Amino acid sequence: MLQLRDVTVKVEGEVILKNINLVIPRGETHILLGPNGSGKTTLLKAIMGMGGAEVEGEILLDGQNIADLSVDERARLGMGIALQKSPAVPEISLQEILQITGEKHGTDEMEEKIESLNCGYLLERGLNENFSGGEMKRSELLQLLVQDPKVVLVDEPESGVDLDNIVIIGEALKRLLKSPREIEKKRAALVITHTGHIMDYLNADRGYVLVRGSITCAGNPRDLFEEVNQNGFEGCLECQITE
Amino acid sequence: MSNHGIEEKKSKLQNKARQALDKKAAYGSDLDLSSEVSTVEEAPLESLKNLDRRIREASLLAGMNTAEKERSGSYFQKGDSAIYARVQDAYEGKVEIMCIEDALQEYPWLWDYWWSMVPVDMDKYTAAVELWGKGGYFMRILPGARLDQPIQSCLLLDEAGASQRVHNIILAEEGSEAQIITGCTVSPEVKQGSHLGVSEFFIKKGAHLTFTMVHNWAEDFDVRARTGVKVEEDATFVNNYLLLKPVRSIQAYPRCVLEGDRSRSRFNTIVYGQENSELDLGSVIELNGQGTRGESISRALSTDGSRVMMRGRLKARSNDVQAHLECRGMLLSKESEMNAVPELWVEGAPQADLSHEAAVGPVSEEVVEYLMSRGFNKDEAVSVVVQGFMQAGIQGLPEALENLLRQTLSSMSEEAV
């Protein structure tokens, strides 16, 4: 289970997120909506310990506060992230990082995972080097499949991706979120979406709307998405339908 | 060349050299050659196995296989003395290896090549090699010979404060194919000294030569290398250069002239600046023939208080030529300095296609953090970036050198964290 208790995040001294509270039980997928600049990516990176953010409050993974741990310590405890924009790492090939990650996390069925995300032809290339939007997302999800985390953080899996790739990515994400690491140990997931397309593939349990650094609404993700479509994110500031 | 012609050439060269003895080099810090000391005469060896263990180990780290396994021939020079030159039985009639003085005696025609690709009066270092040089190797791969095992050589200095001044000539005859691994190094006790080296390469029609040079020097050691390469029609010259140990100063700017049509050249350089090393390195490729191709790829790391200058020049004098220059550097300490100076020159060849990429920067924190999010600890993440960065500079190294490179990169990655 992932739980955030009164989490405030500052980046270079500026408060970006204020008093965030949320709970994502194992086996549940939660969706995070919000306008550009509302702090969605900062929140995901802060949960993972990335981006040099200063975090106050508690980030609990299965009851353990991980807020002071380094990125790799969080990864080894079972946190995983797929970034919206990943840096190019020409010094290592996709194949090499999959091998090393697989060894670290004891992953099997590598070939089948690679095939499911149509990444075979990318293996020899430098990681993320000149990858298209779709290739980048598939590569990120493939790495997560190999990493096999307890908690999955995914930042806008459908952004910059054509329709064919959305199908592949959506199916892979569904498989990742619904395939338990072990029986009785299901994953928890927090997925940022801007367009809502990815919700066609995910049976999301709960949604949040983040506006100006605060969660303004929480509830059924489809209801929230419809609300946003009708009244915009500013409407969420007024409605405050949070249960 | 007739005896008279040889004597005349010798005299002219010596005169030119004497006039250049105070001529500073175009690049690199100036060295005082007045205190240079020659080494004692050493007796020839029957076998490389008779070398002292410490010498064997030092030469091994410079890529020399003293058991001579999987080698077609070997040359070993200790100080001023050429102590070993041998071609393996299976390669007799395919390759000749000897000390340069013996070769000039045996082949009067070699005088036509002598100082033809490097001007004797280029600077005080070439002059010093002409006037006081001893040894250096002559390697000749005979026409059509294809050597399936590399030739190896080692130029080693075993006396502190001494100087080694050598002149090498490498001749790859028409249609031949070979690989040479050469290591320049010092014995473990030697921390101070100098090495002045002149190398002239002649790659004849259709020949293919891969030349790999490993430099393993010491903290108070100065090196000045002067290299000229002439490549004829349809011939290829590949140069790999590795410098992985500290040195006080080194300056080299080899010049490769692609004279023949469709000739090719590639320079791969891996340089690791450590301690207070002052490195000024690069390559010049001149594309004169039609359809010539050139590529120069360098990777440099700098740490401690090292200063690294990476030069590169592509010079096109013919249409239908293509060449690319890539200088990439990574700084691992605040005290180190790095400069990349890529130059593209086109002279009267409007269709020439030259390009360059140059980048100098730190190990990207964003990349390290990204790899950490996959479970790599910080050391591993930096190591992956540094090793991958450097390994991209050289392809197809012999196994021993690859292992050496991997070990060195692994230890340097730890320092980088």
Side-chain angles (χ1 to χ4, degrees):
Chain A
M1 181 174 73
L2 178 70
Q3 183 173 11
L4 270 60
R5 264 193 211 153
D6 292 324
V7 168
T8 291
V9 177
K10 292 180 192 169
V11 177
E12 293 177 354
E14 187 187 345
V15 176
I16 306 294
L17 297 160
K18 295 177 288 271
N19 301 320
I20 304 292
N21 287 284
L22 55 83
V23 179
I24 309 176
R26 289 288 187 91
E28 288 198 10
T29 297
H30 292 195
I31 297 289
L32 186 61
L33 306 171
N36 288 338
S38 59
K40 303 186 296 296
T41 296
T42 303
L43 178 60
L44 249 62
K45 284 191 170 178
I47 295 171
M48 194 67 208
M50 300 172 79
E54 187 186 331
V55 176
E56 292 168 14
E58 291 180 324
I59 300 170
L60 302 164
L61 173 64
D62 294 335
Q64 179 187 354
N65 187 5
I66 60 169
D68 293 329
L69 299 185
S70 63
V71 182
D72 56 313
E73 286 170 329
R74 296 182 205 207
R76 284 196 291 275
L77 284 175
M79 303 286 295
I81 190 166
L83 297 171
Q84 187 190 355
K85 288 177 189 165
S86 312
V89 194
E91 294 85 5
I92 187 169
S93 67
L94 176 59
Q95 183 161 35
E96 286 168 322
I97 197 164
L98 291 175
Q99 273 170 358
I100 299 171
T101 310
E103 283 164 18
K104 282 183 185 297
H105 300 279
T107 309
D108 53 10
E109 298 172 343
M110 188 78 84
E111 283 181 18
E112 195 265 328
K113 291 181 170 71
I114 292 166
E115 201 174 312
S116 70
L117 276 151
N118 186 25
C119 283
Y121 70 99
L122 295 172
L123 291 175
E124 303 290 324
R125 283 173 50 184
L127 183 60
N128 303 330
E129 194 180 25
N130 300 320
F131 281 16
S132 69
E135 289 169 341
M136 185 87 80
K137 302 291 180 190
R138 281 164 20 222
S139 154
E140 285 291 284
L141 283 182
L142 175 57
Q143 290 174 63
L144 274 191
L145 276 172
V146 172
Q147 197 176 337
D148 194 21
K150 294 176 192 173
V151 173
V152 179
L153 307 167
V154 186
D155 193 352
E156 294 203 32
E158 73 274 59
S159 73
V161 170
D162 60 29
L163 287 174
D164 290 344
N165 271 306
I166 283 184
V167 175
I168 296 175
I169 289 161
E171 292 295 339
L173 195 50
K174 183 163 75 179
R175 175 183 156 189
L176 173 68
L177 300 185
K178 293 303 169 194
S179 59
R181 304 175 80 242
E182 296 164 28
I183 297 168
E184 307 299 322
K185 286 190 176 178
K186 293 180 178 176
R187 298 181 211 279
L190 181 59
V191 179
I192 295 176
T193 180
H194 207 66
T195 65
H197 288 148
I198 203 70
M199 283 168 31
D200 295 341
Y201 300 89
L202 307 178
N203 190 15
D205 301 282
R206 191 170 173 78
Y208 308 94
V209 176
L210 187 71
V211 180
R212 295 179 199 164
S214 297
I215 290 178
T216 55
C217 300
N220 179 291
R222 291 206 173 270
D223 293 347
L224 283 181
F225 197 69
E226 277 180 28
E227 178 72 23
V228 168
N229 276 339
Q230 282 177 14
N231 301 315
F233 288 112
E234 290 302 314
C236 294
L237 273 177
E238 290 167 14
C239 93
Q240 298 287 335
I241 62 169
T242 306
E243 303 114 314
Chain B
M1 193 178 275
S2 67
N3 284 344
H4 174 71
I6 291 170
E7 289 309 314
E8 202 174 349
K9 180 163 184 174
K10 269 189 195 172
S11 168
K12 279 184 183 170
L13 287 169
Q14 298 245 326
N15 281 338
K16 275 189 169 183
R18 272 190 285 273
Q19 284 167 22
L21 267 178
D22 293 324
K23 188 175 172 184
K24 290 182 180 176
Y27 305 110
S29 56
D30 189 48
L31 300 183
D32 176 10
L33 301 182
S34 62
S35 57
E36 297 225 322
V37 180
S38 297
T39 61
V40 296
E41 187 83 16
E42 297 262 354
L45 281 182
E46 283 294 311
S47 163
L48 289 177
K49 288 177 186 166
N50 298 341
L51 286 166
D52 286 357
R53 190 177 165 183
R54 62 194 180 82
I55 301 280
R56 279 207 313 271
E57 284 174 1
S59 54
L60 179 71
L61 290 174
M64 187 84 177
N65 180 340
T66 50
E68 297 190 75
K69 279 183 184 166
E70 299 173 348
R71 296 290 186 266
S72 52
S74 304
Y75 176 86
F76 202 105
Q77 180 163 335
K78 201 171 160 194
D80 288 339
S81 310
I83 57 172
Y84 191 79
R86 181 177 167 224
V87 172
Q88 299 281 1
D89 293 346
Y91 297 91
E92 286 290 352
K94 293 182 174 179
V95 59
E96 295 172 341
I97 301 169
M98 60 185 92
C99 169
I100 195 72
E101 284 92 352
D102 293 347
L104 287 166
Q105 280 280 333
E106 188 163 338
Y107 297 125
W109 49 261
L110 192 54
W111 285 94
D112 289 328
Y113 293 87
W114 188 244
W115 291 111
S116 67
M117 285 307 296
V118 176
V120 68
D121 56 354
M122 177 187 260
D123 52 38
K124 64 202 286 188
Y125 312 111
T126 53
V129 170
E130 167 58 21
L131 295 172
W132 308 312
K134 279 191 181 169
Y137 47 76
F138 170 69
M139 293 180 185
R140 182 184 180 208
I141 303 105
L142 294 170
R146 301 203 165 196
L147 308 186
D148 54 1
Q149 299 290 356
I151 305 162
Q152 63 177 356
S153 84
C154 185
L155 302 171
L156 178 137
L157 201 61
D158 191 29
E159 291 172 53
S163 309
Q164 192 174 47
R165 293 154 299 213
V166 296
H167 191 156
N168 310 305
I169 289 193
I170 298 96
L171 193 52
E173 297 280 12
E174 284 188 22
S176 65
E177 198 173 313
Q179 193 185 136
I180 298 171
I181 301 165
T182 188
C184 299
T185 191
V186 289
S187 58
E189 300 78 15
V190 173
K191 304 292 177 209
Q192 191 189 359
S194 67
H195 172 93
L196 309 180
V198 172
S199 298
E200 297 183 283
F201 292 79
F202 302 89
I203 318 299
K204 301 285 190 174
K205 281 183 192 173
H208 190 297
L209 183 73
T210 298
F211 183 79
T212 299
M213 177 175 272
V214 180
H215 271 179
N216 275 356
W217 301 110
E219 295 84 345
D220 291 321
F221 214 87
D222 296 294
V223 180
R224 297 293 179 269
R226 302 291 177 256
T227 301
V229 187
K230 185 178 179 185
V231 190
E232 293 187 356
E233 277 171 55
D234 299 305
T236 301
F237 177 70
V238 178
N239 188 87
N240 295 317
Y241 177 77
L242 277 88
L243 174 70
L244 302 172
K245 294 280 174 70
V247 60
R248 183 162 60 200
S249 77
I250 181 162
Q251 193 270 314
Y253 201 22
R255 169 177 168 255
C256 178
V257 182
L258 298 178
E259 200 61 57
D261 293 347
R262 299 171 301 282
S263 55
R264 285 161 193 269
S265 177
R266 180 181 166 113
F267 279 76
N268 301 305
T269 305
I270 287 189
V271 170
Y272 180 29
Q274 300 163 82
E275 301 181 5
N276 291 314
S277 298
E278 182 190 306
L279 314 177
D280 190 326
L281 297 160
S283 62
V284 179
I285 302 177
E286 299 182 13
L287 300 106
N288 295 348
Q290 285 287 333
T292 51
R293 300 284 182 268
E295 195 169 20
S296 175
I297 309 290
S298 58
R299 293 285 186 278
L301 282 181
S302 64
T303 188
D304 306 324
S306 62
R307 285 174 291 158
V308 180
M309 172 71 80
M310 288 187 293
R311 301 182 192 276
R313 183 182 298 163
L314 303 175
K315 210 170 188 178
R317 295 198 183 92
S318 181
N319 285 316
D320 185 29
V321 303
Q322 269 181 14
H324 181 68
L325 180 62
E326 188 180 304
C327 303
R328 286 180 189 269
M330 207 176 256
L331 272 79
L332 304 180
S333 82
K334 284 180 185 170
E335 291 73 30
S336 63
E337 289 176 20
M338 191 175 289
N339 294 284
V341 188
E343 296 176 34
L344 306 180
W345 295 18
V346 180
E347 295 175 356
Q351 304 300 317
D353 179 2
L354 305 183
S355 60
H356 79 78
E357 286 176 67
V360 174
V363 177
S364 161
E365 284 181 27
E366 186 191 12
V367 167
V368 169
E369 190 176 68
Y370 176 64
L371 293 174
M372 287 169 74
S373 77
R374 300 287 178 246
F376 292 67
N377 65 37
K378 193 171 183 183
D379 293 15
E380 291 169 332
V382 172
S383 172
V384 161
V385 174
V386 169
Q387 291 195 38
F389 172 78
M390 294 294 263
Q391 278 171 342
I394 286 194
Q395 294 160 355
L397 278 185
E399 195 182 337
L401 284 181
E402 244 185 51
N403 291 338
L404 170 68
L405 181 61
R406 207 172 296 118
Q407 281 168 18
T408 310
L409 291 177
S410 174
S411 63
M412 73 172 68
S413 305
E414 285 166 21
E415 284 179 41
V417 176

